[in-house]
Amino acid sequence: MSSVSDLTARARIRDAALARFGADGIAGTSVRAVAADAGVSPGLVLHHFGSKDGLRQACDEHVLDSIRGGGEAGDDALAEVLQAATPVRRYLARAFLDGSSGASALFTEIVERTEAWLADGEREGWVRPSDDSRARAVVYVSWLLAPLVLGDHVGRLLGGDAAETATAVRGARAGLEILTNGLFTDDRWLTAFTAINDQERSK
């Protein structure tokens, strides 16, 4: 049975890996670098996690648990992402870019919960109906997560780290302002893309 010190070391290593993976990506991170950040030996990292891949899996599981936060279908999953700790958001952004299996699972879960949340909104009258509820949920999630994934560019133009709460919320608020109040004053672009969509469907 693990001692308290073992559990503390394991959490410290995982948190160091979370930060390092978020900054440098999985390919750019070594077990030795994580060990140095955590103040332990590389051997202790391997003792707890077996390999760098095992360490990544532990980080994925931790991020999934952090974002889920006890939420269920019908909850605003994106709000949970924005409220997560900065290292979790930074890891998540990098994982989306690197193609982490945990990030793929989380993205799917966020979309499914968002689709249910928007369906509740339709029934309650605060969301307009859609002809394609799945596409709406995917696009909505993609738009509001884009500032995290495009972090360097967003941070440069908004004057802050996109993984930090203030910048992440600023980007999300801009997206919600567009979705709530609208952007275009007529339907020319909607008509154009509807025609393209109809053409593709008829092929």
Side-chain angles (χ1 to χ4, degrees), residues 111-162:
V111 167
E112 290 174 348
R113 286 175 52 190
T114 297
E115 187 174 6
W117 177 65
L118 292 171
D120 286 346
E122 278 192 35
R123 287 189 291 272
E124 295 168 9
W126 50 270
V127 171
R128 292 187 177 90
S130 171
D131 292 332
D132 190 340
S133 61
R134 170 48 65 99
R136 175 180 63 183
V138 170
V139 171
Y140 177 82
V141 170
S142 299
W143 279 359
L144 294 192
L145 287 182
L148 284 180
V149 179
L150 297 173
D152 290 344
H153 303 289
V154 170
R156 175 171 52 85
L157 296 176
L158 294 185
D161 185 334

Side-chain angles (χ1 to χ4, degrees), residues 184 186-201:
F184 301 118
D186 59 47
D187 65 356
R188 71 185 74 184
W189 297 111
L190 178 59
T191 299
F193 278 84
T194 298
I196 295 171
N197 187 53
D198 290 344
Q199 289 172 7
E200 290 300 314
R201 285 182 172 179

Side-chain angles (χ1 to χ4, degrees), residues 5 32 44 48 55 65 75 86 103 108 113 116 122 131 146 156 166 185 195:
S5 61
R32 186 173 297 278
L44 188 60
H48 281 293
L55 185 56
D65 290 342
D75 291 342
T86 297
T108 299
R113 286 175 52 190
E122 278 192 35
D131 292 332
R156 175 171 52 85
T185 59

Side-chain angles (χ1 to χ4, degrees), residues 3 26 45-46 49 55 103 110 115 119 141 147 167 181 184 190-191 198:
S3 68
I26 294 169
V45 175
L46 297 177
F49 299 97
L55 185 56
I110 291 172
E115 187 174 6
V141 170
T167 308
N181 299 326
F184 301 118
L190 178 59
T191 299
D198 290 344

Side-chain angles (χ1 to χ4, degrees), residues 82 84-87 89-90 147-148 151 160-171:
L82 293 174
T86 297
R89 288 198 302 273
R90 185 171 285 117
L148 284 180
D161 185 334
E164 295 290 345
T165 302
T167 308
V169 171
R170 183 182 178 191

